[in-house]
Amino acid sequence: MSSDSESAAKALSRPVISAVVLAAGESSRMGSDKALLMYRGKTFLENIIAALREGCVQRVVVVLGHHAELIQQSVDLSAVEVAVNPEYRHGQTSSLQAGLRLLAAGKLDGVMICLVDHPAITAETVRHLIQHFNSSGEPIVIPQFEGKHGHPVLVGRNVVEQILILGPDQGADTVIHQYREQTEFVDVTDRGVLIDVDDPESYLRLAAGC
C-alpha cells in the first residue's frame, strides 16, 4: 500500500471527535454575557474554541440562545458551527440537545461537552481526554484534578443518543450517572477543569489567577 493510501486509511479509521460548547444561558448571576467576558486577551468563547481546535477536535458546535445575535457580532465564529436554541429558557438540556442533533446527523464517535463558564481549559487537556477515550473504549471520560471531577466531559455516541431523548426537566447527568461503572476518570495537571466562572466574585478570582 502506498504512503498516501495508508494515510487515507488511517484518516478514515480515526474516531471522529466533536464538541458542543454551551453558551445559550442568560448569565443572570454574572450580570453580563459570560461568552463575551475577557480572559488572557480573548473572550471566554474564543479561549474555549481555541483549546478545542488546538486539541484536535474535528467539529465544534457553539450553542447560543440569549443575546445570540450580539455574541455572533462580537466573536469570530467562522471556524465553528452555530446552533441557535430559541428554547434556551427551558434549560441546559434543550441547548445541549440542539448542539448534539446537529452533530448526530453526521459521522460521530464522541462529543466533548463544554460549558462557556469554564474558559481556562487547555488544548493539552483536550488532547489527553481524546487519547484516553480512543484507547480505553469507555463510553465516558471525565478529567479530574487533585481528585476532583471537572469539565469538559467526553461521551460516546451511545450516550449522545440517550441524551437526545431526555425530557426538558432531565439533565444530562441523568444519563452520565448510569455509566458510573464505565466511566474513566483521567488525572490532569490542568486546574482549569475545575474553574467555574458563574458570578462576579469567581471572575475576579480568575483574573487574579487564584
Side-chain angles (χ1 to χ4, degrees):
M1 181 182 291
S2 69
S3 59
D4 288 345
S5 297
E6 289 175 353
S7 297
K10 288 179 180 178
L12 288 171
S13 62
R14 184 175 60 186
V16 176
I17 306 298
S18 302
V20 170
V21 184
L22 299 176
E26 296 183 62
S27 304
S28 55
R29 291 178 62 190
M30 179 61 68
S32 59
D33 293 300
K34 286 182 279 190
L36 300 180
L37 293 176
M38 300 301 295
Y39 176 60
R40 294 180 175 174
K42 295 186 288 191
T43 65
F44 277 21
L45 197 49
E46 288 167 332
N47 274 284
I48 295 168
I49 292 170
L52 293 171
R53 283 301 188 196
E54 292 169 21
C56 300
V57 171
Q58 285 116 312
R59 291 179 67 192
V60 178
V61 172
V62 173
V63 184
L64 301 176
H66 184 68
H67 288 169
E69 185 175 345
L70 171 64
I71 294 171
Q72 290 181 91
Q73 292 172 348
S74 304
V75 180
D76 181 4
L77 299 176
S78 59
V80 303
E81 299 168 65
V82 175
V84 177
N85 177 24
E87 300 181 343
Y88 67 90
R89 288 191 177 89
H90 290 179
Q92 193 176 84
T93 296
S94 70
S95 293
L96 177 56
Q97 289 172 330
L100 293 178
R101 277 194 292 269
L102 193 57
L103 292 171
K107 179 170 170 49
L108 179 68
D109 294 299
V111 176
M112 195 165 287
I113 301 172
C114 305
L115 309 178
V116 77
D117 48 15
H118 284 67
I121 60 170
T122 67
E124 180 182 1
T125 291
V126 171
R127 285 192 294 267
H128 198 46
L129 295 177
I130 292 173
Q131 288 167 1
H132 277 267
F133 178 81
N134 291 343
S135 62
S136 72
E138 298 292 3
I140 298 177
V141 174
I142 296 176
Q144 60 181 17
F145 178 81
E146 296 182 349
K148 297 180 180 179
H149 303 158
H151 286 86
V153 175
L154 179 50
V155 302
R157 183 168 189 112
N158 288 344
V159 179
V160 168
E161 291 171 351
Q162 292 182 52
I163 292 174
L164 283 172
I165 61 174
L166 288 173
D169 59 341
Q170 296 176 292
D173 285 351
T174 305
V175 174
I176 291 172
H177 288 161
Q178 295 175 13
Y179 286 87
R180 179 74 181 193
E181 299 303 317
Q182 297 170 272
T183 297
E184 181 176 11
F185 295 98
V186 177
D187 289 316
V188 298
T189 59
D190 176 12
R191 184 182 292 274
V193 301
L194 302 182
I195 295 176
D196 179 4
V197 183
D198 201 37
D199 52 38
E201 291 74 20
S202 56
Y203 184 40
L204 288 174
R205 289 195 297 271
L206 174 71
C210 300

